[in-house]
Amino acid sequence: DSSHTKTVYSAKTVTAATVPSAALKEAGEVELQNAAIKMPESVLSQLGDADVDISVTEADKDSLSLSPEDKEKLGNSPVFDFSMSTAGNAVSNFNGKVTVTVPYNLQGGEDPENIAIWYIADNGQTETIAATYSYNADEMQGYATFETDHFSYYTVIRMSPAERCAFYGHDEVTETIAPSCNQQGYTKT
């Protein structure tokens, strides 16, 4: 039903915006320079009637308490610091899940199935979150999309095939192909 179609509150030129509550409830989605955030009714209803301050800024990676291994895995991916407040009160946990989309272009030869999101806690612990990848040919821009029930630090990571199997609970299968008179034998995983 097109009468229930929501528009997007766009502030694509900035990383932080004050959004009037009525406009946010009407739109259901906010676009900032480096993220789009779609909020279900359950989240919108908890925000009240005051204006909503939303920001998605790039965090200083050196200020995060990541292990050397995690810093290496993070590489040059930006870490986004998501925050939201209303009436001067931080809103970090939601009554439901928001859908977040951040820009991410695949590197040469990178498999979009290996893309995931890391939630980075204040103590440096990381949690892997499933993500989907999409590409907008008109914008020549790729995107990673994920769901979360709280705001904090998030970044796009690349999982190895073994990490992906472990994350999704797949069994890694090894198959040995015997040699024949016209082909060498090999093992594939």
Side-chain angles (χ1 to χ4, degrees), residues 8 27-30 36-40 43-44 97-101:
V8 174
E29 183 174 356
V30 175
I37 304 159
K38 189 179 292 187
M39 298 177 208
V43 172
L44 292 169
K97 291 194 176 206
V98 298
T99 302
V100 176
T101 301

Side-chain angles (χ1 to χ4, degrees), residues 91-114:
V91 179
S92 55
N93 292 305
F94 308 123
N95 295 333
K97 291 194 176 206
V98 298
T99 302
V100 176
T101 301
V102 294
Y104 181 79
N105 285 315
L106 294 173
Q107 306 304 307
E110 193 171 27
D111 184 346
E113 295 295 315
N114 290 341

